[in-house]
Amino acid sequence: MAASGSNAATGDLLVDNLISGCGKVSTFGKPVGVHFSYRSLHNCRKAGLGLKSHETISRHSIYAGYDVTRTSGNSISLVGPLFGLSNSSFRCYSHGVPDVTFHGSAFDGELADSAVSADRSILVDTTLKLQSGSCYLPHPDKEKTGGEDAHFICEEEHVIGIADGVGGWADVGVNAGVYARELMSNSFAAIRDEPKGSIDPARVLEKAHSVTQSKGSSTACIIALTHQQSLHAINLGDSGFIIVREGCTIFQSPVQQHGFNFPYQLASGSEGDQPSCGQVFTIAIVPGDVIVAGTDGLFDNLFSKEIDAVVGDGMRTGSEPQVIAQKIAALARQRALDRNGQTPFSSAAQDAGFRYFGGKLDDTTVVVSIITSSATM
């Protein structure tokens, strides 16, 4: 995870530039200026931060453990590193192409006509639910601090959320994972104020951002299942989600970035990008659809067809969402350690003019949610 404007060198790609002049936290309010590129986002000001990470991408031995925490009753655990919250309203746990309506920015991707419309005549009266599970693999160098990703799963309200703390803050002694975890904790708290079955992820994220005070910055993605049998989602940055139907990706959220490896990111106060800069989606879904949400540790290392294969195999064998998430995360970590293969990250690096091959080792969060139904005729 890095800033744009990096310089290429033979061997490993060094991605650093926009934070090279920042010697202390107080200087982050005065970075190299970066402007938003979406024409429709007139309310978005100059970026207040100019970093994603200051690091040389390296490879390490594979980390095979799975840090997955489930709780029962009225507790929630937000992961990376683990901590607990009590709540009396929801039963939640965490660790942390259909009809699509886009709000807030143009979408350049194309959806196949055959996948555009969800079949709403399958059941006369259908109640849809999210059955979710997750897996989190911190970067091997960040295991002691729990890494910088965070996420939550709220079963009762059918909402999931993911945040990816910006690694560049480590250069000035700040653990951005603390910001990511506080943002997700505040997002969960904001769900309580939402109408049941009509949760607005954009409003949730805006409320959470307004009260998150920790130093640091992160991407954010919140997805909610509504009574209208559709997904409502907001995504800001390079975390995101795909929807898999019958073994094929029918939708993938676009990446928001100011430049190569420099995604949109939220920060406390008026720094960074604002929640209003995120892309908002309303997506029709049907029973059997699978949502795979993740941080860039997933989507930098696996193409959608590779995720499709794991999801398809899991659905055929009746695997639980957590098991599917574990398998996807393990494959992403395997690709991240590959120095020679072609990955989404290496393709993007080459498109940006860098000589780079292989994956990118990073914190990896995967949340898998299967759309299930109970029907009455």
Side-chain angles (χ1 to χ4, degrees):
M1 303 164 70
S4 63
S6 307
N7 295 318
T10 57
D12 286 341
L13 170 65
L14 181 66
V15 283
D16 61 356
N17 211 5
L18 289 183
I19 62 170
S20 60
C22 299
K24 53 185 178 180
V25 172
S26 62
T27 64
F28 276 99
K30 303 174 182 178
V32 176
V34 177
H35 293 269
F36 296 92
S37 59
Y38 290 137
R39 292 188 300 272
S40 60
L41 300 181
H42 297 301
N43 59 329
C44 296
R45 59 177 188 81
K46 263 190 183 180
L49 295 177
L51 71 153
K52 190 64 169 110
S53 175
H54 178 99
E55 60 184 356
T56 299
I57 300 173
S58 58
R59 281 83 176 176
H60 300 265
S61 58
I62 189 166
Y63 174 80
Y66 298 109
D67 192 358
V68 181
T69 297
R70 291 176 179 265
T71 65
S72 59
N74 296 321
S75 62
I76 176 173
S77 295
L78 294 170
V79 168
L82 301 177
F83 67 95
L85 292 172
S86 62
N87 184 279
S88 59
S89 300
F90 302 122
R91 176 175 167 269
C92 300
Y93 62 89
S94 81
H95 298 179
V97 181
D99 293 330
V100 182
T101 302
F102 297 88
H103 309 277
S105 64
F107 175 48
D108 295 329
E110 295 181 356
L111 301 176
D113 291 340
S114 62
V116 167
S117 296
D119 185 355
R120 297 178 182 273
S121 64
I122 296 176
L123 299 169
V124 173
D125 184 11
T126 305
T127 299
L128 300 183
K129 299 180 179 180
L130 283 184
Q131 181 186 0
S132 302
S134 65
C135 179
Y136 174 48
L137 300 181
H139 189 296
D141 290 345
K142 302 174 184 177
E143 290 179 28
K144 291 183 179 180
T145 60
E148 293 157 343
D149 285 2
H151 68 282
F152 70 85
I153 297 171
C154 186
E155 274 188 333
E156 185 169 333
E157 294 301 316
H158 309 294
V159 186
I160 61 176
I162 291 176
D164 181 0
V166 173
W169 285 93
D171 293 326
V172 291
V174 174
N175 179 1
V178 176
Y179 179 89
R181 291 189 288 276
E182 184 183 354
L183 182 67
M184 289 294 95
S185 175
N186 290 335
S187 296
F188 171 75
I191 292 172
R192 305 179 207 173
D193 299 327
E194 291 293 298
K196 191 174 182 64
S198 299
I199 292 171
D200 182 348
R203 187 166 54 217
V204 167
L205 184 59
E206 185 174 359
K207 290 180 180 179
H209 173 258
S210 69
V211 296
T212 300
Q213 299 299 320
S214 296
K215 272 293 181 181
S217 59
S218 79
T219 65
C221 180
I222 299 176
I223 305 167
L225 177 64
T226 72
H227 284 333
Q228 289 73 39
Q229 300 190 22
S230 62
L231 291 179
H232 288 180
I234 183 169
N235 187 60
L236 186 144
D238 59 2
S239 296
F241 66 101
I242 65 173
I243 299 176
V244 182
R245 179 176 296 164
E246 297 179 352
C248 296
T249 293
I250 59 170
F251 173 78
Q252 181 163 4
S253 59
V255 170
Q256 286 186 304
Q257 58 183 6
H258 301 292
F260 169 64
N261 211 28
F262 178 22
Y264 282 29
Q265 55 200 262
L266 300 174
S268 60
S270 60
E271 295 182 333
D273 301 305
Q274 297 300 304
S276 57
C277 297
Q279 291 181 301
V280 177
F281 312 95
T282 301
I283 307 169
I285 39 83
V286 297
D289 284 354
V290 181
I291 298 97
V292 180
T295 55
D296 63 345
L298 168 62
F299 294 112
D300 276 348
N301 291 299
L302 292 183
F303 293 102
S304 60
K305 64 181 180 181
E306 296 176 293
I307 302 173
D308 293 346
V310 179
V311 170
D313 181 69
M315 294 296 285
R316 283 191 297 272
T317 59
S319 298
E320 293 292 321
Q322 181 178 317
V323 174
I324 299 174
Q326 290 174 345
K327 291 181 177 180
I328 293 172
L331 182 58
R333 178 55 56 86
Q334 179 182 337
R335 293 288 188 270
L337 295 166
D338 183 352
R339 298 180 65 92
N340 300 308
Q342 193 73 2
T343 64
F345 183 80
S346 65
S347 296
Q350 291 158 16
D351 289 343
F354 299 105
R355 184 168 89 73
Y356 188 87
F357 299 93
K360 178 174 177 285
L361 191 58
D362 202 349
D363 297 330
T364 302
T365 295
V366 181
V367 180
V368 172
S369 299
I370 300 174
I371 303 295
T372 62
S373 67
S374 57
T376 58
M377 299 303 291

